[in-house]
Amino acid sequence: MSSGRKLLIRGGRRIEGEIAVQGAKNSALPILAACTLCKGRCEIYNCPRLSDCDAACRILTSLGCACKREGNAVSVNSSAITSGEVSEKLMREMRSSIIFMGALLGRCGRCRMSFPGGCEIGSRPIDFHLEAFRRMGAKIHEEHGYIVCTAARLHGAKVSFPVPSVGATENVMLAAVLAEGVTEIHNAAREPEIRDLAGFLAACGARIDGAGTGTVRIEGVKSLGGCAYTVMPDRIAAATYLCCGAITRGEILLTHCDHGSLEPVASVLEQTGCSIYSFGNDSVYLNARKTLKAPDLIRTAPYPGFPTDAQPPIMALCTTLPGTTMFAETIFENRYRHVSELIRLGAKIKVEGQVAVVEGVNRLSGAELEAGDLRGGAAMVTAALFAEGTTKIGHTCYIDRGYEDIESCLKSVGADIRTV
Ligand code: UD1
């Protein structure tokens, strides 16, 4: 991935103000894929303007769906779907395009797509997805780097994952909603985005119980209609902006956010000494205008544990807190790619396998950095807000995959940030 754009950030300014949190990328993507299951028109609101969502829309168009975006609303009509095939080029644009597999299998009885392959944060296998589809009656084979799945009609099955997988849970839900009979997913992922996908599917006529718990039960129905649905707020973008507030010892009010799903991150921020209050249904206020200290241990885990996606920005914060923090990354094997870049700014971090030890320093100083993945890029932006002088961050296309106009958001709360 390459991009000529760079973010230029002059650090040292306190973040103060209000940010309206974008819609959740990790909800919008499976919901867009789910639209292929519906015969009527789906109106998706609060769909973030991100390159990954654009890639999902291109996939929908290539399948024969009518897909139109107006601002943050995307309308999808899948009644004339013509193909169950996703080209290699489109698969490469977005790793999570694998989420189309369950939906296409459910809708067309056949799908063909290239292996998503490894990616920047780890090998990310899809064996749980394929094994579950087999149990539901799909025949799967590989040809010339493509996976071909066929099933005249899928049937319900009992599926149990060795570890909770967000993508596999969603993919099986998508395959199961139109399958014959009942599907039960055991050791399902409990992430809030799974509840959101179930909410969308239920609005289209699907029968799903237990989404957001470890056991999800889906009773297949004959067909799904269209609906209007609003995507939940993005808890990782919210967590990132809270880290930006905290690292500049500032104050930030997030609106349009879901504080329940932010709890694992909010409790770590409270351990650092930040005050966090939630207001009404959808606002969270953070005050970091005080002496903060390093939390002892941050261990990533499936929800409701600490989210792996928030590990890089919170690590950026910890590099500036007095004391030592140990990180244990239990989800992905290559999730410390931002460490070498944070060290360039003067951070003190040692990595051994899945463990990273961060010793807080008083001072970071601006440098030239390169984002190597989405959340690692967000960590660099967070650290740059604290660093003295100017930090230039390249390969910002990674950041655009998950943050809707991060530059304007941060500028609006006082950051000195611009694109060159
Ligand atoms: C999703 C999120 C990603 C987040 C991750 C973990 C989306 C689009 N992406 O990714 O932002 O970081 O959840 O919260 O929602 N695994 C297997 N075999 C499989 C599937 C998964 O071994 O077939 C393993 C993975 O290697 C990983 C663990 O299961 O160690 C969890 O991964 P998973 O929850 O599937 O992540 P994604 O759905 O890819």
Side-chain angles (χ1 to χ4, degrees), residues 33-172:
C35 291
T36 57
L37 289 163
C38 306
K39 293 241 160 87
R41 198 170 74 177
C42 300
E43 297 285 347
I44 316 297
Y45 302 118
N46 203 30
C47 184
R49 284 171 281 111
L50 302 170
S51 55
D52 267 13
C53 292
D54 294 342
C57 289
R58 278 195 291 279
I59 292 178
L60 287 168
T61 307
S62 79
L63 297 170
C65 307
C67 181
K68 201 166 134 231
R69 178 186 275 279
E70 262 174 51
N72 285 45
V74 175
S75 133
V76 183
N77 190 331
S78 301
S79 43
I81 203 161
T82 50
S83 156
E85 179 154 346
V86 182
S87 74
E88 173 158 11
K89 181 173 169 284
L90 289 169
M91 281 299 285
R92 278 190 194 280
E93 281 187 22
M94 179 182 64
R95 192 225 168 252
S96 32
S97 42
I98 190 70
I99 200 66
F100 277 86
M101 190 176 262
L104 287 174
L105 204 48
R107 172 71 191 266
C108 310
R110 181 178 189 278
C111 82
R112 184 173 183 270
M113 54 179 63
S114 67
F115 246 91
C119 92
E120 64 274 9
I121 60 171
S123 63
R124 303 184 90 169
I126 55 164
D127 51 330
F128 302 169
H129 305 236
L130 299 183
E131 177 54 25
F133 294 149
R134 279 196 190 96
R135 292 182 83 88
M136 297 176 76
K139 298 265 177 290
I140 301 174
H141 70 275
E142 285 174 42
E143 55 179 33
H144 315 296
Y146 274 77
I147 315 165
V148 184
C149 299
T150 46
R153 173 120 199 243
L154 292 169
H155 56 72
K158 279 201 173 142
V159 171
S160 182
F161 297 128
V163 293
S165 157
V166 176
T169 302
E170 292 169 344
N171 233 341
V172 173

Side-chain angles (χ1 to χ4, degrees), residues 297 315 326-329 336 349-357:
L297 172 68
M315 183 184 285
M326 185 165 107
F327 284 80
E329 171 58 56
Y336 289 136
I349 310 171
K350 290 213 166 72
V351 175
E352 176 64 44
Q354 299 306 99
V355 172
V357 177

Side-chain angles (χ1 to χ4, degrees), residues 22 53 135 163 209 213 280 292 297 306 312 330 360 416:
Q22 68 188 57
C53 292
R135 292 182 83 88
V163 293
D209 279 325
T213 75
L292 303 183
L297 172 68
F306 190 89
T330 75
D416 185 343

